[in-house]
Short mmCIF file of all heavy atoms in Angstrom, two decimals:
data_model
loop_
_atom_site.label_atom_id
_atom_site.label_comp_id
_atom_site.label_asym_id
_atom_site.label_seq_id
_atom_site.Cartn_x
_atom_site.Cartn_y
_atom_site.Cartn_z
N SER A 27 0.83 -1.19 0.01
CA SER A 27 -0.01 -0.05 -0.06
C SER A 27 0.87 1.24 0.03
O SER A 27 0.27 2.35 0.00
CB SER A 27 -0.94 0.08 1.20
OG SER A 27 -1.83 -1.10 1.23
N TYR A 28 2.22 1.07 -0.04
CA TYR A 28 3.04 2.21 0.21
C TYR A 28 4.24 2.20 -0.87
O TYR A 28 4.87 1.26 -1.11
CB TYR A 28 3.63 2.23 1.65
CG TYR A 28 2.44 2.35 2.59
CD1 TYR A 28 2.07 1.26 3.31
CD2 TYR A 28 1.97 3.58 3.01
CE1 TYR A 28 0.87 1.43 4.14
CE2 TYR A 28 1.05 3.80 3.86
CZ TYR A 28 0.43 2.57 4.50
OH TYR A 28 -0.48 2.73 5.38
N ASN A 29 4.50 3.48 -1.28
CA ASN A 29 5.77 3.74 -1.99
C ASN A 29 6.77 3.99 -0.77
O ASN A 29 6.47 4.66 0.17
CB ASN A 29 5.72 4.96 -2.88
CG ASN A 29 4.69 4.63 -4.04
OD1 ASN A 29 5.02 3.69 -4.79
ND2 ASN A 29 3.67 5.43 -4.10
N MET A 30 8.03 3.47 -0.93
CA MET A 30 8.95 3.58 0.27
C MET A 30 10.18 4.37 -0.06
O MET A 30 10.66 4.38 -1.21
CB MET A 30 9.24 2.10 0.61
CG MET A 30 8.18 1.28 1.04
SD MET A 30 7.20 1.96 2.57
CE MET A 30 8.54 1.67 3.77
N GLY A 31 10.87 4.71 0.97
CA GLY A 31 12.20 5.47 0.75
C GLY A 31 13.02 5.31 1.99
O GLY A 31 12.60 4.90 2.95
N TRP A 32 14.32 5.49 1.73
CA TRP A 32 15.40 5.54 2.77
C TRP A 32 15.95 6.93 2.70
O TRP A 32 16.33 7.39 1.61
CB TRP A 32 16.45 4.41 2.54
CG TRP A 32 16.05 3.02 2.89
CD1 TRP A 32 15.58 2.08 2.05
CD2 TRP A 32 15.99 2.48 4.19
NE1 TRP A 32 15.41 0.98 2.65
CE2 TRP A 32 15.60 1.15 3.97
CE3 TRP A 32 16.44 2.99 5.52
CZ2 TRP A 32 15.53 0.25 5.15
CZ3 TRP A 32 16.27 2.03 6.55
CH2 TRP A 32 15.85 0.75 6.38
N PHE A 33 16.16 7.55 3.87
CA PHE A 33 16.82 8.77 4.07
C PHE A 33 17.91 8.65 5.08
O PHE A 33 17.79 7.58 5.91
CB PHE A 33 15.83 9.89 4.39
CG PHE A 33 14.79 10.13 3.34
CD1 PHE A 33 13.72 9.28 3.10
CD2 PHE A 33 14.92 11.25 2.47
CE1 PHE A 33 12.88 9.65 1.97
CE2 PHE A 33 14.05 11.59 1.54
CZ PHE A 33 12.95 10.75 1.19
N ARG A 34 18.78 9.57 5.26
CA ARG A 34 19.73 9.64 6.28
C ARG A 34 20.01 11.00 6.70
O ARG A 34 19.95 11.91 6.06
CB ARG A 34 21.11 8.90 5.81
CG ARG A 34 21.85 9.67 4.74
CD ARG A 34 22.98 8.91 4.23
NE ARG A 34 23.76 9.52 3.23
CZ ARG A 34 24.77 8.94 2.52
NH1 ARG A 34 25.17 7.75 2.68
NH2 ARG A 34 25.27 9.66 1.53
N GLN A 35 20.52 11.04 8.00
CA GLN A 35 20.92 12.34 8.62
C GLN A 35 22.28 12.14 9.31
O GLN A 35 22.30 11.54 10.34
CB GLN A 35 19.78 12.83 9.51
CG GLN A 35 20.19 14.26 10.00
CD GLN A 35 18.86 14.86 10.66
OE1 GLN A 35 17.77 14.20 10.86
NE2 GLN A 35 18.80 16.20 10.82
N GLY A 36 23.28 12.73 8.83
CA GLY A 36 24.65 12.78 9.40
C GLY A 36 24.69 13.80 10.48
O GLY A 36 23.94 14.72 10.52
N PRO A 37 25.79 13.68 11.24
CA PRO A 37 26.01 14.68 12.33
C PRO A 37 26.04 16.06 11.79
O PRO A 37 26.86 16.41 10.89
CB PRO A 37 27.33 14.24 12.82
CG PRO A 37 27.51 12.85 12.55
CD PRO A 37 26.85 12.57 11.14
N GLY A 38 25.27 16.90 12.28
CA GLY A 38 25.29 18.29 11.94
C GLY A 38 24.64 18.59 10.47
O GLY A 38 24.96 19.66 9.91
N LYS A 39 24.09 17.60 9.89
CA LYS A 39 23.60 17.75 8.51
C LYS A 39 22.06 17.62 8.52
O LYS A 39 21.48 17.16 9.38
CB LYS A 39 24.06 16.68 7.58
CG LYS A 39 25.69 16.68 7.41
CD LYS A 39 26.23 15.67 6.55
CE LYS A 39 27.73 15.67 6.52
NZ LYS A 39 28.24 14.69 5.46
N GLU A 40 21.54 18.03 7.34
CA GLU A 40 20.10 17.88 7.20
C GLU A 40 19.81 16.58 6.70
O GLU A 40 20.64 15.81 6.16
CB GLU A 40 19.65 18.83 6.17
CG GLU A 40 19.66 20.37 6.55
CD GLU A 40 19.04 21.35 5.56
OE1 GLU A 40 18.77 20.88 4.45
OE2 GLU A 40 18.97 22.48 5.94
N ARG A 41 18.62 16.04 6.78
CA ARG A 41 18.13 14.76 6.33
C ARG A 41 18.18 14.70 4.90
O ARG A 41 17.65 15.68 4.14
CB ARG A 41 16.72 14.41 6.89
CG ARG A 41 16.47 12.85 6.75
CD ARG A 41 15.16 12.51 7.43
NE ARG A 41 15.25 12.70 9.04
CZ ARG A 41 14.32 12.36 9.73
NH1 ARG A 41 13.30 11.71 9.60
NH2 ARG A 41 14.64 12.63 11.08
N GLU A 42 18.71 13.61 4.34
CA GLU A 42 18.80 13.70 2.78
C GLU A 42 18.39 12.26 2.25
O GLU A 42 18.36 11.29 2.88
CB GLU A 42 20.38 13.80 2.38
CG GLU A 42 21.21 12.75 2.84
CD GLU A 42 22.70 13.07 2.38
OE1 GLU A 42 23.02 13.99 1.64
OE2 GLU A 42 23.51 12.01 2.55
N PHE A 43 18.01 12.40 0.97
CA PHE A 43 17.53 11.29 0.26
C PHE A 43 18.58 10.24 -0.08
O PHE A 43 19.66 10.70 -0.33
CB PHE A 43 16.80 11.68 -1.07
CG PHE A 43 16.63 10.58 -2.07
CD1 PHE A 43 15.43 9.69 -1.72
CD2 PHE A 43 17.37 10.35 -3.21
CE1 PHE A 43 15.28 8.74 -2.69
CE2 PHE A 43 17.02 9.32 -4.04
CZ PHE A 43 16.08 8.53 -3.76
N VAL A 44 18.30 8.97 0.15
CA VAL A 44 19.10 7.93 -0.16
C VAL A 44 18.67 7.05 -1.38
O VAL A 44 19.42 6.89 -2.36
CB VAL A 44 19.52 7.05 1.09
CG1 VAL A 44 20.45 5.85 0.67
CG2 VAL A 44 20.19 7.75 2.17
N ALA A 45 17.44 6.44 -1.11
CA ALA A 45 16.95 5.55 -2.13
C ALA A 45 15.40 5.51 -2.06
O ALA A 45 14.87 5.79 -0.92
CB ALA A 45 17.53 4.09 -1.94
N ALA A 46 14.75 5.25 -3.03
CA ALA A 46 13.32 5.04 -3.04
C ALA A 46 12.96 3.86 -4.06
O ALA A 46 13.62 3.59 -4.97
CB ALA A 46 12.65 6.36 -3.51
N ILE A 47 11.84 3.34 -3.76
CA ILE A 47 11.17 2.25 -4.47
C ILE A 47 9.64 2.43 -4.55
O ILE A 47 9.03 2.62 -3.53
CB ILE A 47 11.77 0.84 -3.95
CG1 ILE A 47 11.31 -0.35 -4.81
CG2 ILE A 47 11.17 0.65 -2.42
CD1 ILE A 47 12.06 -1.62 -4.45
N SER A 48 9.16 2.01 -5.71
CA SER A 48 7.70 2.03 -5.86
C SER A 48 6.96 0.92 -5.10
O SER A 48 7.63 -0.03 -4.69
CB SER A 48 7.34 2.06 -7.35
OG SER A 48 7.78 0.89 -8.03
N TRP A 49 5.66 1.00 -5.05
CA TRP A 49 4.89 0.06 -4.25
C TRP A 49 5.10 -1.44 -4.67
O TRP A 49 5.19 -2.31 -3.91
CB TRP A 49 3.49 0.40 -4.18
CG TRP A 49 2.76 0.25 -5.58
CD1 TRP A 49 2.52 1.24 -6.42
CD2 TRP A 49 2.20 -0.98 -6.11
NE1 TRP A 49 1.91 0.70 -7.60
CE2 TRP A 49 1.70 -0.60 -7.44
CE3 TRP A 49 2.15 -2.24 -5.60
CZ2 TRP A 49 1.06 -1.51 -8.12
CZ3 TRP A 49 1.41 -3.13 -6.50
CH2 TRP A 49 1.00 -2.82 -7.72
N GLY A 50 5.36 -1.65 -5.95
CA GLY A 50 5.47 -2.82 -6.54
C GLY A 50 6.91 -3.31 -6.73
O GLY A 50 7.17 -4.53 -7.15
N GLY A 51 7.81 -2.42 -6.60
CA GLY A 51 9.19 -2.72 -6.79
C GLY A 51 9.64 -2.42 -8.21
O GLY A 51 10.80 -2.69 -8.61
#
């Protein structure tokens, strides 16, 4: 039911995009 993503936030940094995948892959 969801499109998914991975994000990351390093020390002193803003959260940033890493990877994304649609609901069916």
